[in-house]
Amino acid sequence: MLNERLTRMREKYFNSRPCITAERLVLATEAYKKYAGDPAPIFRGEVTRYVLSRMTTLIMEDELIVGTPTNKYRGANLFPEYQSSDWYISDIDEFPVRDTDPYDIAPEDRAQILETLNSYWRGRAIEDLAADMLPEEVETARQLDIISVGLRNGASGETMPNHEKFLKVGLRGFMEECRENIRTAGGGSIEKQRQINFWKACIIVCEGLINYAHRMADEAERQAAACDDPVRRGELLTIAGNCRVVPENPPRNFHQALQMIWFIQNTFHIEVCTTACGFGRFDQYMGPFYAKDLAEGRITREKALELLECFYLKCCEVYEVRDKWYAKSFAGYPMWEILMVGGQTPQGEDATNDLSYLCLDAAAEMQTTQPVLAVRVWDGTPEPLIRKGVEMIQAGMANPGFFNDKAAIPMTLGKGCTIEEARNWAIVGCIQPGPGGGATDGSPDAGYVNAPKVLDITLHNGVDPATGRQVGLKTGKAEDFHSIEELTEAVKKQLIYFYGLIKTGYDMMQPIHAINYPVIFAGMATKGCVESGRSVQEGGAKYSTAGMFITGAANLADSLVAIEECVFRDHDVSMTDLVAALDKNFQGEERLRQLLINKPPKFGNDNKHVDKVYEDMLAYIADTVQQWPDARGGHYSFSNLSQTVNVSHGEACGATPDGRLAGEAFCDNASPTMGRDIKGPTATVKSVASMHQERFHDGALFNLRFDPQGVAGEKGKDIIEGVIRTYFDNGGEHIQINVVDDETLKKAQKTPEKYKGLMVRVAGYMAYFTELDKAAQDSIIYRTAHLKEA
Amino acid sequence: MEETNALVGAIQKFSVEDGPGIRTTVFLKGCPLACRWCHNPELIDPAQQLIQMPNSCIHCGACIWVCPKEAVYADTEGRIQIHWDRCDRCLQCTESCYAEALQPVAQRMTVSRVMEEVVQDKGFYEHTGGGMTISGGELLMHPDFVRGLLAAAGEEGIGVCLDTSGQGDSGLLAEAAAMEHVTDILYDIKAVDSGLHEALTGVGSQLIQANLKRLCETEAVRRKIMVRMPLIHGLNDSSQAIGEVIDIMKARGLTRATLLPYHDLGVGKKTRIGGVQEMFSPPPAERMDAIVQAMEEAGIEISVLGQRR
């Protein structure tokens, strides 16, 4: 049961909307003008310090954990360094009314934003540079939605800060280390001077953050002095005291440690348009503070729960403003603030502690989309921890997700780390395991390939049928393929060609980020950067990877098998006629479409042949792209995930040989195509588990939906747990389960105001169902709900 | 020699209401009873049949052209209809129907073919205490096939649940029930009184009751039995009918029962195989409560399908 404070705070959250504010933009722009000419890292450090030293110190009613990225509640910042002012300006009146992820903008903010962008920022964003810089074939493929290119209008943002170190040494420790490094380096070479500049920049940002924290303390004291309620006055004074200790110094108790973590998270969102900044193994680095406070009688379980819940609500108050395409593709304001519990220690012992359970309790009470809870499961995980997670799932909370050490550890080892680091793995992004302890910069997504569209292009000898443009390789005319093997070879060549275009684009973007707008604080927070004196964009992190993703993997496999059976084996239709039918979106060819849907087996039904076709195709992609280095000396990782890009990529793709009509959404992530897994969830689970996920260094994302009636009661818990465990036994890395029926979802679609709190798992994240646009909602409704009356 | 085979109506994975844990239910075609409310009426006739799935129909008309008996036609509203009296079940129409709006009710399958699918979910059985359920139709109509399935499941270490009406070969039933890896028996009681039973199902209850008595004589077998009772308002939910069920359960030392309130899924299916089934209703809520109360007072542990207590 939520206490009164949290009930009020949660209510306030649900009855408000996010907004875009001008403050950071205006301050940062002043700083960019003031410090222009400084070397990039210092320049960037100064900008962040300037903002941190002047921004509003906002402490709101009831808060126990403080710090906001903007001057308003639920405010979002604009980052015209990375994202083009062109769409900021053209969309400014659309933000409040757009279908997905709307943001309010107050009139005074609107005026300031337009004035600042128009007077200074036009043409300066990395996104603006990208348009001129990226080769034509990359831009064309991107514009046609065959690929996406990360870093074009995003920034480094899939990070997992080294919280252990922050908690241990405080910002003072970082500053001292940087000063020592500067002294030792001494200068005298370009490389050394670059390092020195980076270290100086780190010190500058730390000073800015300390300044911010001290001003927060001042504000808390000011509010305390004016407060009539002695209880609240005491709380405000505690807040003030906390802000004087952290982040400057290591925290002395659980409350201060939470405040420390929040300051770090908050600063990410002031420095850069952060996409996915996870908390890593929260119960591991926070557990000792909780245990010590408990043991020494400074805290009760109840009080700790309240603090944790205040912290969770803060996690809901950060945003990344995305353009229309990304807002649709990442619908529901996801921030991927993954908070992990359970698993094993670097030495291979069980790591579960009291805080692991408390974290789940807080999530069960709050039921907000952030943070996203992740339970790591291994042989030694206590049954009650899994059971607790299962009970939350059964209750329809869509939280937590479950992760399998047996799959994730080999994936992590694939990134080149030690076994201890692999056992300490944590999520970087949404489901991508990285060496733990804040050692990994996953960087943002390198890009997604629209796999079914690549098949369509292959069937047209490299021509995009929608525009008639030659966008792919000339691998031969459709009618000249004489076997499925020949066609498969051609598709593989085309896929790798398009992954290659992503690499070209991403490798061109990466150095621009490193040279023009390196991230300082996010770099400092990542293990390896302070040691090497390089930002994450320069490859400073101990481990750097960049994710290559796929949309429509099941549609591709199903289509290949359909061609194999209906064209090459049984001659139900000639290749020419099939392609003609696809080109006219099966108009007048419904019989053929039905044959393609019903006759050949489909992925998701525990059919060895289709599953193997699927597995081989993905293994080929993974094994190829994972050999490629990226521009900062890291390497590419493959992940079988699509987020909701399956919707936007589906819209851009014509009809496919699996019987899918033009424009329809593709399969959801690693799941089978909606409605094509007809043998129930056990068959689905087996198919998805069979793809040898351990070969994908960045994992595979699996969504499953159950009808609540079918998994009710005690037996229902056994069933859900049995499904999770069998999936893991068979090699699955990650599974997340929605327990919600069609009827509820349809009602929520019609009367959203009555279903504000209805949470669903969309991709690697949770969202409020009613905040998704109709296409994304439909794709969840069409996600096969297992266990309905036959 | 040809391997034993049978007409299999469906192999339903992830069955969670036909015995403990996650199960795979094998539905065999053919049943000696013809319950008036049967929810699987397409599995009564032991012979192959045609079934319509009108919602899947794309109205291409291929079935009309291919039918040698001119049994398929489109009505004035363009819906595909069957002259069932003309249909000789050649099933050529099903081969022409790419949309699967016309389908054979069952597939002829060998034991090993069935087991291939059953074995696929072994991991789920192990984690949840599940296994295979043999249902129907009536499993006792397929002695060789059922013996084959039981032997194969035994070799695979898969537990089996029998879902039976009790009407059939007593020896086979006793033999199967006694097997160690047969962990559960769902035993239907529609009514105890033989006259009533005959009125409801077309056959009297003597054999069913005799078989039940025989099974209950062995303690180990008796403990496997879960009585299943469909409840159809006005047919078998009177105080007297329920009282008789309670009495017989007491007499046999049976303590667990699942009640299955009537649902009308059979009505539509019956139409789609060219028949007509009466529409009934489940007992009203207060009657349902009274039945549950009476049974619980008699010391019977009750669950109601779809709403666990």
Side-chain angles (χ1 to χ4, degrees):
Chain A
M1 269 288 283
L2 280 181
N3 68 19
E4 280 177 33
R5 178 202 310 272
L6 270 308
T7 307
R8 280 194 303 269
M9 292 175 84
R10 192 172 178 277
E11 188 88 342
K12 175 185 170 187
Y13 168 70
F14 275 102
N15 291 324
S16 60
R17 271 163 50 111
C19 59
I20 295 172
T21 77
E23 187 179 77
R24 187 255 169 208
L25 174 67
V26 171
L27 288 172
T29 306
E30 287 168 15
Y32 275 111
K33 289 176 186 165
K34 184 171 174 193
Y35 296 102
D38 282 0
I42 293 178
F43 177 46
R44 291 277 296 154
E46 291 288 9
V47 169
T48 306
R49 173 162 70 178
Y50 189 91
V51 174
L52 283 166
S53 309
R54 287 165 181 78
M55 66 182 284
T56 303
T57 46
L58 184 63
I59 298 176
M60 290 166 285
E61 216 176 320
D62 285 324
E63 284 195 315
L64 297 176
I65 306 290
V66 297
T68 53
T70 77
N71 55 322
K72 287 184 181 169
Y73 179 58
R74 295 188 73 179
N77 283 319
L78 295 178
F79 293 92
E81 305 94 309
Y82 300 98
Q83 301 177 323
S84 176
S85 295
D86 291 351
W87 62 265
Y88 280 168
I89 292 167
S90 65
D91 290 2
I92 195 137
D93 292 321
E94 219 177 298
F95 282 118
V97 294
R98 68 183 189 181
D99 287 340
T100 341
D101 297 8
Y103 290 93
D104 289 334
I105 307 179
E108 62 278 14
D109 284 307
R110 182 183 178 280
Q112 276 186 306
I113 288 167
L114 287 177
E115 158 65 22
T116 311
L117 294 176
N118 277 317
S119 66
Y120 186 78
W121 282 105
R122 291 209 103 147
R124 286 176 189 260
I126 285 189
E127 186 176 7
D128 298 318
L129 304 177
D132 288 339
M133 198 181 59
L134 290 178
E136 196 194 333
E137 60 270 26
V138 176
E139 263 304 276
T140 305
R142 188 189 68 76
Q143 282 162 13
L144 295 176
D145 269 332
I146 309 167
I147 60 170
S148 69
V149 180
L151 285 190
R152 233 188 86 263
N153 78 353
S156 180
E158 288 188 5
T159 28
M160 172 182 49
N162 186 354
H163 288 299
E164 293 85 341
K165 183 170 173 185
F166 278 106
L167 294 170
K168 198 171 156 200
V169 304
L171 293 184
R172 290 237 157 257
F174 279 91
M175 292 161 82
E176 202 38 62
E177 187 182 350
C178 288
R179 286 195 194 102
E180 181 56 36
N181 288 348
I182 292 169
R183 274 194 294 274
T184 312
S189 72
I190 291 172
E191 176 55 24
K192 279 185 180 171
Q193 192 54 45
R194 276 198 186 127
Q195 291 175 310
I196 288 168
N197 290 346
F198 177 75
W199 288 319
K200 281 186 175 168
C202 291
I203 296 168
I204 291 166
V205 175
C206 286
E207 286 168 356
L209 181 50
I210 292 168
N211 178 299
Y212 175 69
H214 288 181
R215 290 192 305 114
M216 288 297 279
D218 296 343
E219 172 63 14
E221 280 161 9
R222 189 194 63 76
Q223 287 192 18
C227 182
D228 294 333
D229 173 9
V231 177
R232 182 60 185 160
R233 190 161 60 236
E235 288 170 2
L236 285 161
L237 291 174
T238 302
I239 290 169
N242 289 348
C243 294
R244 300 230 181 264
V245 175
V246 295
E248 187 174 357
N249 306 290
R252 294 169 194 150
N253 56 40
F254 183 68
H255 191 170
Q256 288 181 358
L258 277 176
Q259 181 64 60
M260 176 91 172
I261 303 297
W262 184 250
F263 273 133
I264 295 163
Q265 188 74 352
N266 197 48
T267 307
F268 268 77
H269 292 276
I270 293 166
E271 184 186 42
V272 68
C273 38
T274 292
T275 298
C277 180
F279 294 108
R281 305 191 67 189
F282 187 85
D283 63 344
Q284 300 307 293
Y285 56 76
M286 290 297 290
F289 288 96
Y290 175 51
K292 190 157 187 282
D293 281 7
L294 263 185
E296 292 170 11
R298 271 196 303 269
I299 204 168
T300 59
R301 192 175 197 279
E302 203 183 356
K303 182 66 192 168
L305 186 64
E306 181 181 50
L307 291 172
L308 204 49
E309 288 171 348
C310 287
F311 175 81
Y312 281 15
L313 261 187
K314 294 307 286 184
C315 298
C316 300
E317 295 173 24
V318 292
Y319 300 91
E320 182 201 13
V321 177
R322 301 183 176 114
D323 66 15
K324 276 178 270 191
W325 191 88
Y326 275 104
K328 198 181 195 71
S329 301
F330 299 163
Y333 308 100
M335 293 307 297
W336 293 284
E337 292 168 292
I338 317 274
L339 190 152
M340 306 193 72
V341 299
Q344 53 194 300
T345 64
Q347 290 71 41
E349 306 283 323
D350 184 58
T352 311
N353 59 35
D354 287 350
L355 189 61
S356 318
Y357 293 91
L358 200 70
C359 288
L360 289 179
D361 283 335
E365 289 199 344
M366 292 302 290
Q367 296 189 39
T368 46
T369 53
Q370 302 294 336
V372 183
L373 273 286
V375 175
R376 262 183 60 173
V377 178
W378 76 296
D379 291 342
T381 302
E383 168 67 17
L385 187 72
I386 301 176
R387 200 62 168 188
K388 175 139 204 65
V390 165
E391 283 168 0
M392 289 168 66
I393 292 297
Q394 186 190 40
M397 295 178 192
N399 201 20
F402 295 87
F403 288 82
N404 181 16
D405 272 12
K406 262 182 263 175
I409 289 175
M411 289 170 184
T412 312
L413 283 171
K415 294 180 172 175
C417 64
T418 66
I419 183 69
E420 286 78 16
E421 285 172 318
R423 286 195 195 113
N424 197 25
W425 71 271
I427 295 161
V428 183
C430 65
I431 54 124
Q432 302 96 306
T440 311
D441 178 49
S443 203
D445 63 279
Y448 295 77
V449 166
N450 185 333
K453 193 169 171 80
V454 171
L455 172 64
D456 204 12
I457 288 165
T458 311
L459 291 173
H460 292 82
N461 199 7
V463 172
D464 169 41
T467 56
R469 293 164 74 173
Q470 181 78 39
V471 290
L473 304 171
K474 287 187 177 169
T475 44
K477 289 182 184 163
E479 56 268 31
D480 293 339
F481 294 114
H482 296 296
S483 68
I484 190 64
E485 289 77 18
E486 285 176 25
L487 175 63
T488 305
E489 275 315 298
V491 172
K492 283 180 177 171
K493 270 188 203 145
Q494 299 276 12
L495 282 168
I496 296 307
Y497 170 73
F498 285 106
Y499 277 105
L501 290 187
I502 292 180
K503 173 173 162 51
T504 303
Y506 189 80
D507 284 349
M508 293 186 87
M509 299 314 304
Q510 187 84 59
I512 304 293
H513 280 261
I515 291 170
N516 294 23
Y517 296 114
V519 292
I520 307 304
F521 186 71
M524 190 189 91
T526 308
K527 196 184 278 179
C529 290
V530 174
E531 291 82 344
S532 64
R534 284 180 292 156
S535 68
V536 283
Q537 292 102 330
E538 293 166 272
K542 191 167 178 194
Y543 302 101
S544 300
T545 59
M548 295 273 203
F549 308 132
I550 186 166
T551 62
N555 297 89
L556 174 63
D558 289 348
S559 293
L560 287 172
V561 171
I563 293 173
E564 178 183 15
E565 291 212 353
C566 297
V567 176
F568 294 119
R569 193 189 74 187
D570 297 344
H571 309 289
D572 297 311
V573 58
S574 72
M575 187 68 105
T576 311
D577 289 349
L578 173 66
V579 174
L582 298 178
D583 287 349
K584 57 181 177 176
N585 194 21
F586 292 111
Q587 283 272 316
E589 297 288 351
E590 188 57 21
R591 254 178 80 72
L592 173 62
R593 193 173 88 89
Q594 291 297 326
L595 180 80
L596 294 166
I597 291 173
N598 292 315
K599 187 181 157 187
K602 298 286 184 291
F603 177 73
N605 295 292
D606 204 3
N607 176 289
K608 284 204 175 65
H609 179 60
V610 197
D611 293 359
K612 188 82 171 74
V613 169
Y614 186 111
E615 180 201 330
D616 285 350
M617 187 57 81
L618 266 63
Y620 181 78
I621 297 169
D623 291 349
T624 307
V625 304
Q626 285 174 179
Q627 301 292 322
W628 295 344
D630 78 358
R632 62 196 163 147
H635 69 260
Y636 289 95
S637 294
F638 179 75
S639 178
N640 188 1
L641 68 80
S642 66
Q643 303 299 349
T644 43
V645 183
N646 64 318
V647 175
S648 25
H649 271 183
E651 279 174 11
C653 182
T656 39
D658 57 347
R660 175 193 145 277
L661 293 170
E664 284 182 0
F666 297 145
C667 63
D668 173 278
N669 295 281
S671 299
T673 304
M674 282 80 86
R676 302 287 163 83
D677 49 340
I678 53 176
K679 289 202 169 175
T682 57
T684 305
V685 159
K686 290 274 304 289
S687 286
V688 178
S690 76
M691 61 181 74
H692 285 282
Q693 299 181 7
E694 73 281 359
R695 291 169 80 160
F696 317 150
H697 294 166
D698 268 349
L701 198 165
F702 181 33
N703 270 305
L704 196 62
R705 180 154 82 91
F706 285 111
D707 193 83
Q709 256 200 321
V711 290
E714 276 307 302
K715 182 172 179 181
K717 289 172 197 163
D718 294 341
I719 290 170
I720 295 172
E721 189 174 330
V723 166
I724 294 168
R725 287 188 182 275
T726 311
Y727 182 61
F728 287 176
D729 287 347
N730 284 277
E733 182 228 358
H734 155 265
I735 183 170
Q736 55 192 23
I737 300 173
N738 285 300
V739 176
V740 59
D741 56 12
D742 289 4
E743 208 182 326
T744 306
L745 294 174
K746 282 177 186 158
K747 275 190 203 153
Q749 223 173 14
K750 280 202 197 91
T751 48
E753 64 282 359
K754 288 187 192 156
Y755 291 88
K756 270 188 186 169
L758 176 63
M759 278 202 304
V760 288
R761 282 275 178 173
V762 184
Y765 59 94
M766 297 186 299
Y768 299 109
F769 183 76
T770 57
E771 284 181 353
L772 303 175
D773 80 341
K774 186 153 183 313
Q777 288 181 343
D778 285 345
S779 114
I780 290 168
I781 293 175
Y782 295 140
R783 197 181 283 165
T784 315
H786 292 292
L787 241 191
K788 289 200 299 190
E789 279 287 329
Chain B
M1 202 185 79
E2 203 183 320
E3 203 192 333
T4 317
N5 58 58
L7 279 175
V8 177
I11 299 177
Q12 189 185 304
K13 293 183 171 185
F14 200 66
S15 291
V16 294
E17 299 193 328
D18 296 323
I22 294 177
R23 314 194 68 83
T24 298
T25 303
V26 180
F27 292 93
L28 302 176
K29 187 155 158 57
C31 183
L33 307 186
C35 303
R36 288 164 63 186
W37 59 85
C38 179
H39 67 282
N40 287 331
E42 78 282 13
L43 297 180
I44 296 176
D45 187 340
Q48 182 62 287
Q49 273 170 290
L50 171 68
I51 187 164
Q52 273 191 291
M53 304 285 172
N55 292 345
S56 303
C57 181
I58 58 166
H59 310 283
C60 66
C63 46
I64 299 176
W65 306 118
V66 83
C67 178
K69 300 285 179 192
E70 296 184 7
V72 188
Y73 67 101
D75 67 16
T76 50
E77 284 166 48
R79 289 175 304 207
I80 297 296
Q81 304 285 8
I82 314 276
H83 291 296
W84 292 97
D85 51 337
R86 289 190 205 167
C87 174
D88 69 351
R89 306 183 182 189
C90 74
L91 300 181
Q92 288 184 44
C93 57
T94 63
E95 281 157 34
S96 77
C97 185
Y98 292 172
E100 300 190 341
L102 293 171
Q103 290 180 25
V105 163
Q107 275 182 283
R108 191 157 284 287
M109 297 174 93
T110 60
V111 168
S112 45
R113 177 71 197 85
V114 171
M115 287 309 293
E116 253 174 54
E117 291 216 25
V118 171
V119 167
Q120 284 186 310
D121 279 6
K122 216 168 154 179
F124 297 95
Y125 312 151
E126 281 163 10
H127 279 299
T128 62
M132 170 169 68
T133 296
I134 312 178
S135 182
E138 174 49 55
L139 66 95
L140 296 175
M141 285 187 78
H142 306 270
D144 293 345
F145 194 78
V146 167
R147 283 194 178 97
L149 281 180
L150 287 168
E155 274 168 33
E156 290 287 351
I158 293 173
V160 178
C161 170
L162 306 174
D163 182 2
T164 179
S165 69
Q167 177 76 18
D169 185 337
S170 310
L172 169 66
L173 181 58
E175 171 196 332
M179 290 179 175
E180 204 174 321
H181 67 289
V182 170
T183 56
D184 294 83
I185 301 165
L186 306 177
Y187 202 102
D188 280 14
I189 297 182
K190 278 99 181 183
V192 177
D193 178 80
S194 197
L196 177 59
H197 198 275
E198 188 170 352
L200 299 182
T201 70
V203 298
S205 65
Q206 295 93 338
L207 181 57
I208 293 170
Q209 289 303 329
N211 280 341
L212 182 60
K213 183 160 184 280
R214 181 169 166 190
L215 293 185
C216 292
E217 279 161 6
T218 314
E219 163 72 17
V221 173
R222 189 176 68 222
R223 274 195 270 121
K224 299 178 185 177
I225 297 176
M226 163 77 83
V227 169
R228 282 199 155 194
M229 185 174 187
L231 289 170
I232 295 88
H233 187 48
L235 296 193
N236 70 346
D237 67 338
S238 69
S239 304
Q240 190 188 337
I242 299 299
E244 286 170 5
V245 171
I246 292 172
D247 290 346
I248 205 80
M249 286 187 68
K250 275 187 181 166
R252 301 286 168 256
L254 295 169
T255 57
R256 297 182 297 142
T258 305
L259 303 178
L260 297 82
Y262 171 81
H263 62 74
D264 62 9
L265 288 177
V267 175
K269 277 204 269 186
K270 185 82 176 182
T271 314
R272 294 190 275 114
I273 54 170
V276 180
Q277 192 181 70
E278 303 158 79
M279 177 81 92
F280 298 101
S281 61
E286 58 273 27
R287 182 71 203 118
M288 208 49 221
D289 290 344
I291 293 171
V292 170
Q293 197 189 343
M295 295 187 109
E296 283 180 342
E297 276 170 12
I300 300 170
E301 196 186 308
I302 294 293
S303 56
V304 178
L305 205 67
Q307 43 181 106
R308 280 178 191 76
R309 303 172 73 83

